[in-house]
Amino acid sequence: MEKEEKFIGIVQMSLHLLSTALDELLIINSQKSDPKETHILNLPPFSFYRISLQYMITMEFTKLLESDTKDRKNFPKGKTWEDYENTNSASLAKNSRFIYELKGESFEKEHRENIDQLVKIRASDFGVKIKDDRDKKFAHSDADYRGNINSIKTYTETEIKEAQAVLNDIKEILERCTGAFKDYQFFSIPDNRTQNFIHYYIVCNEFYNKNLMKAVSEGYNINHYRSGDMPRKK
């Protein structure tokens, strides 16, 4: 039981990171009605953040969708699947198998449903895209990838919502697993801090620009962008 609880905890963390990254990417990639927001989200910090989120999304999806190491056919000489029981610990297939071995026939139907649903997710258009992004850009680099983060095409709003639909399928699998213990349901808490930051950055920037000349006329040194010093009166 201790092993199953540990591995389910790892799956929960992976799901939390994935869910948070998708929510964040949707915030910064969704169409904005205010051109000031669009300008901010195209600045270098957000451009880098956008690609970093895609790294996390790709890797967390990959970890959750990995096959059970017991199902592998080829192992290094002298090794068997038992030697890899503590690897791929976020794999939903492996977690489902652990619970099946623990619970037996009472979990057989749920285990079969989990494996069938994972096969469908991997074969879906988004599942194939995730695997290609991992293999050709993020975990490895194909020759046609120029090594420039700006050449990585970000997910559209539609693709993010497609990913969230796949995430809901993954949550169903986890809830079947944890349902065997009758004590857990995955949930995420909405987090609006990034959207609030964007809004209040605009407010503060407008206040700064509005009062810039007034500050200069009163003798304040406002050339603090280069030096990092706080503005001060001469």
Side-chain angles (χ1 to χ4, degrees):
M1 180 65 180
E2 182 180 347
K3 177 178 68 174
E4 287 78 13
E5 287 180 342
K6 178 181 178 181
F7 275 54
I8 285 176
I10 294 170
V11 170
Q12 291 170 355
M13 176 56 70
S14 187
L15 263 176
H16 171 70
L17 293 173
L18 176 56
S19 179
T20 301
L22 283 170
D23 288 345
E24 288 288 284
L25 194 60
L26 185 60
I27 287 171
I28 65 177
N29 276 9
S30 59
Q31 189 69 34
K32 305 298 182 186
S33 58
D34 187 343
K36 293 174 183 174
E37 286 192 21
T38 302
H39 171 71
I40 291 169
L41 293 171
N42 285 327
L43 294 174
F46 275 105
S47 294
F48 188 77
Y49 184 43
R50 183 176 285 112
I51 300 302
S52 299
L53 288 170
Q54 286 187 222
Y55 264 85
M56 178 169 287
I57 290 165
T58 299
M59 293 308 177
E60 296 306 326
F61 261 128
T62 299
K63 289 193 289 186
L64 290 163
L65 297 177
E66 276 187 311
S67 60
D68 186 351
T69 48
K70 188 175 182 179
D71 296 331
R72 290 182 182 174
K73 304 301 181 185
N74 299 314
F75 294 98
K77 187 176 181 180
K79 297 286 187 180
T80 66
W81 65 267
E82 288 96 338
D83 296 308
Y84 296 89
E85 281 292 79
N86 287 321
T87 65
N88 295 29
S89 53
S91 164
L92 285 162
K94 176 176 278 190
N95 274 265
S96 186
R97 192 249 302 171
F98 281 165
I99 297 169
Y100 177 44
E101 290 174 346
L102 179 70
K103 295 290 186 176
E105 289 184 3
S106 65
F107 191 70
E108 183 176 4
K109 176 177 175 288
E110 289 80 1
H111 177 57
R112 186 168 59 250
E113 289 174 347
N114 288 343
I115 299 306
D116 288 346
Q117 195 165 9
L118 285 167
V119 169
K120 289 178 182 177
I121 293 172
R122 294 188 194 111
S124 68
D125 290 343
F126 193 80
V128 172
K129 175 180 173 53
I130 284 291
K131 187 176 186 305
D132 283 348
D133 282 349
R134 175 196 177 277
D135 292 345
K136 297 180 179 181
K137 292 186 178 72
F138 297 133
H140 311 281
S141 295
D142 279 6
D144 60 354
Y145 168 51
R146 298 191 298 273
N148 177 359
I149 64 167
N150 295 317
S151 71
I152 299 176
K153 182 179 177 294
T154 190
Y155 295 156
T156 64
E157 193 171 344
T158 299
E159 287 173 326
I160 296 169
K161 290 180 178 178
E162 183 182 353
Q164 289 176 323
V166 174
L167 177 62
N168 288 333
D169 289 339
I170 288 174
K171 288 178 183 176
E172 286 181 10
I173 297 171
L174 176 63
E175 286 176 2
R176 276 196 289 267
C177 289
T178 56
F181 306 106
K182 312 294 185 187
D183 65 352
Y184 175 79
Q185 185 175 8
F186 179 84
F187 66 93
S188 57
I189 301 173
D191 187 343
N192 297 318
R193 285 177 294 182
T194 297
Q195 186 60 56
N196 289 340
F197 169 82
I198 295 166
H199 171 74
Y200 286 110
Y201 175 86
I202 292 172
V203 172
C204 292
N205 201 46
E206 287 177 345
F207 180 84
Y208 175 84
N209 290 331
K210 181 179 178 181
N211 291 278
L212 176 62
M213 296 312 298
K214 182 174 182 292
V216 171
S217 68
E218 292 178 355
Y220 282 90
N221 172 18
I222 50 84
N223 188 26
H224 58 285
Y225 282 115
R226 292 182 183 174
S227 65
D229 299 330
M230 293 295 291
R232 59 186 180 275
K233 204 164 186 177
K234 292 180 180 178

